[in-house]
Amino acid sequence: MNTTEQNTFRPRPSTILATAVLTLTATVGTGVVSASAHGLGSPSATDFAAPDQVSELEFPTTISHRGGSDVYPEESMEGFTASAKDGFLPEMDIQFLEDGTPVLIHDDTADRTLNGASGPIRDLSSEEWDAATIKHPQGGEPAQTVTLDEALDELGGKVVMVPEIKPGATSAEVNQVLDVFDERGLKDSLIVQSFDFEAAKTIAERGYTSLYLSGATLPKESFDEIAAAGIEWVGPSKNLPTRDLRKLDKAGFHVAPYTMPTAKDGHRLPGWIDGYFTDDAWTN
């Protein structure tokens, strides 16, 4: 697909984090002050309040949906890093460019969240992806697009991340992503999600903490079948009735509903919920 604007210079994430976070702090107010108070440069593990291993999670854990898409440009490095610095698990979605490069964006098309690109993500070249920018939810400065490798370079192993392999990924692409995680030694620091049961099963079989996403009804698979697949987490819609959420909890799964508007809404969930996804982890 052709882009509608071009940038002549595009510094990649590690060179823009400090300026971008400071700019966004001014845009969104005091909710992210602590995220900007750690100084300049690429983040280190000591910058983050969020744990770096799944085994160290405290419940309920706050999952910053798409990096806090009501506060920061959706699926931007600024949002991921601010989330991790303030103790929240950055969540992101994996799609693929035309050359197979895994990139971080929720939709399978560019139009809703990107400036300078349109149409299916799978039709975009790497050059077109790099030239696009991510719209700011509050009209502030746009952010640059992020590949999976770039996010892992900045955050991999330093904080628990919650990547989703989006529906439509082939089994080969699922394994491609897991191979990338293997090469970086990230088994202890990822919760990997999918709406596809076979993909969630593969994630567990490959040794990763697997989160099986479902809708406003219970999964079609039995609880025994899900457990036998090695899946430990279930992420239902927040619209799933509380009695069914409780059934999942009693069956032994970690339950993390999506998507609460703010952390304040997440705090209203029953005390036995182990986590929740929110578009704004800062508003309590």
Side-chain angles (χ1 to χ4, degrees), residues 236-237 240-249 255 257 272-273:
S237 165
L240 183 70
T242 301
R243 65 179 181 275
D244 289 333
L245 290 172
R246 187 59 167 160
K247 290 176 183 177
L248 288 166
D249 172 68
V255 181
W272 38 263
I273 290 292

Side-chain angles (χ1 to χ4, degrees), residues 106-131:
H106 175 269
D107 298 0
D108 58 10
T109 59
D111 303 75
R112 180 180 64 85
T113 59
L114 299 189
N115 300 309
S118 63
I121 301 303
R122 286 181 179 271
D123 288 349
L124 295 178
S125 67
S126 292
E127 292 76 16
E128 289 170 324
W129 175 261
D130 285 346

Side-chain angles (χ1 to χ4, degrees), residues 59 197 210-212 218-219 221-236 244-256 272-275:
F59 303 126
F197 179 71
S210 180
L211 190 156
Y212 181 30
L218 287 170
E221 295 83 11
S222 70
F223 292 169
D224 286 345
E225 187 176 0
I226 297 170
I231 296 167
E232 300 176 35
W233 288 71
V234 177
D244 289 333
L245 290 172
R246 187 59 167 160
K247 290 176 183 177
L248 288 166
D249 172 68
K250 288 185 174 181
F253 299 109
H254 293 294
V255 181
W272 38 263
I273 290 292
D274 285 331

Side-chain angles (χ1 to χ4, degrees), residues 181-234:
F181 297 157
D182 281 352
E183 290 166 4
R184 292 173 178 264
L186 298 178
K187 279 190 170 68
D188 294 333
S189 60
L190 296 177
I191 300 174
V192 187
Q193 324 163 70
S194 180
F195 274 99
D196 181 86
F197 179 71
E198 290 303 318
K201 184 177 178 180
T202 297
I203 290 163
E205 289 172 345
R206 292 281 301 265
Y208 290 87
T209 300
S210 180
L211 190 156
Y212 181 30
L213 294 162
S214 59
T217 59
L218 287 170
K220 64 180 181 180
E221 295 83 11
S222 70
F223 292 169
D224 286 345
E225 187 176 0
I226 297 170
I231 296 167
E232 300 176 35
W233 288 71
V234 177

Side-chain angles (χ1 to χ4, degrees), residues 20-205:
V21 171
L22 289 169
T23 300
L24 284 165
T25 299
T27 302
V28 304
T30 59
V32 293
V33 168
S34 59
S36 65
H38 295 273
L40 304 178
S42 182
S44 67
T46 57
D47 290 326
F48 300 135
D52 61 1
Q53 294 191 13
V54 176
S55 62
E56 296 175 355
L57 292 179
E58 296 181 1
F59 303 126
T61 192
T62 302
I63 301 169
S64 188
H65 190 233
R66 307 178 196 173
S69 59
D70 281 354
V71 179
Y72 289 91
E74 185 170 310
E75 314 245 3
S76 67
M77 193 65 70
E78 292 86 344
F80 299 147
T81 303
S83 299
K85 285 184 174 181
D86 285 340
F88 317 127
L89 310 189
E91 190 262 2
M92 63 282 298
D93 303 282
I94 300 171
Q95 304 273 10
F96 299 87
L97 299 179
E98 66 174 1
D99 65 359
T101 300
V103 296
L104 304 185
I105 185 170
H106 175 269
D107 298 0
D108 58 10
T109 59
D111 303 75
R112 180 180 64 85
T113 59
L114 299 189
N115 300 309
S118 63
I121 301 303
R122 286 181 179 271
D123 288 349
L124 295 178
S125 67
S126 292
E127 292 76 16
E128 289 170 324
W129 175 261
D130 285 346
T133 59
I134 311 170
K135 301 172 185 177
H136 195 290
Q138 300 179 20
E141 287 296 316
Q144 59 185 120
T145 53
V146 185
T147 67
L148 177 61
D149 276 340
E150 288 168 343
L152 296 178
D153 286 344
E154 297 290 334
L155 302 176
K158 300 175 184 177
V159 61
V160 174
M161 303 168 70
V162 189
E164 178 190 343
I165 304 175
K166 296 300 290 181
T170 66
S171 59
E173 287 170 336
V174 171
N175 280 294
Q176 172 192 345
V177 169
L178 297 176
D179 287 344
V180 170
F181 297 157
D182 281 352
E183 290 166 4
R184 292 173 178 264
L186 298 178
K187 279 190 170 68
D188 294 333
S189 60
L190 296 177
I191 300 174
V192 187
Q193 324 163 70
S194 180
F195 274 99
D196 181 86
F197 179 71
E198 290 303 318
K201 184 177 178 180
T202 297
I203 290 163
E205 289 172 345

